[in-house]
Amino acid sequence: MNRKLIVAVSLVAGACTPTGPGAYDQEIADVFLARVIPYGLAEAIVENCDGLDADVAAFTTTPADIGNDLRTRFPANDVDATIAQVLSGDNLGQAIEGYLAEREVETGSQDALCAFGASELESGGPIGAFLTEV
C-alpha cells in the first residue's frame, strides 16, 4: 500500500476529530468510510497525478463536517469511539486497500492510482466527483 495514500486519507479522516469514549458501531464505520475514503483518495490523486486537479466546488464539505454530520445522525459518543477505532492500527489502511481492490486498482502503483482517478472522473464516480481535468 502506498504510504502517501494512507497518510492522505488518514489526514482527512483524522480531521473528523474523534474525542470521547463510546461503543463501536459498524454502521457508523461503514458510513464514515464511505464518505472519507473517496474524499481522501481524491486528495491523494490530485497530489500525485498530473492532469487531474481538485474540483474546488466539490470540496465544500470538510472532513470535520463529515464527523459533525455523523454526530447528528448517531449518538455522538458512539461516533467518536467508532472513528477512533477506524483510525487505530492499520484499520484505515486495510479499508483503503479493500476499497481499491473491489475496484481492481493495483495498490502501491501511482500509475494505477492516476488511471483510476481519470476513470472515476470520466464515469462520474464518487471520487471523480471531486476531480477536474487541467
Side-chain angles (χ1 to χ4, degrees), residues 74-101:
F74 301 100
N77 287 341
D78 292 352
V79 169
D80 293 337
T82 299
I83 291 173
Q85 288 186 33
V86 168
L87 296 177
S88 69
D90 194 35
N91 294 336
L92 184 59
Q94 289 174 2
I96 296 166
E97 285 183 352
Y99 184 94
L100 293 172

Side-chain angles (χ1 to χ4, degrees), residues 13-116:
C16 294
T17 58
T19 57
Y24 180 82
D25 184 302
Q26 188 62 51
E27 181 183 6
I28 294 170
D30 291 344
V31 171
F32 174 71
L33 289 169
R35 292 191 58 195
V36 82
I37 287 177
Y39 190 108
L41 283 175
E43 284 194 341
I45 289 167
V46 166
E47 181 180 316
N48 291 289
C49 303
D50 294 334
L52 295 173
D53 203 355
D55 180 347
V56 177
F59 277 94
T60 56
T61 298
T62 67
D65 293 333
I66 295 170
N68 291 335
D69 180 52
L70 288 171
R71 286 183 195 92
T72 63
R73 293 176 55 193
F74 301 100
N77 287 341
D78 292 352
V79 169
D80 293 337
T82 299
I83 291 173
Q85 288 186 33
V86 168
L87 296 177
S88 69
D90 194 35
N91 294 336
L92 184 59
Q94 289 174 2
I96 296 166
E97 285 183 352
Y99 184 94
L100 293 172
E102 287 173 5
R103 288 149 184 84
E104 299 180 357
V105 178
E106 178 187 345
T107 58
S109 167
Q110 184 170 335
D111 290 341
L113 179 66
C114 294
F116 175 62

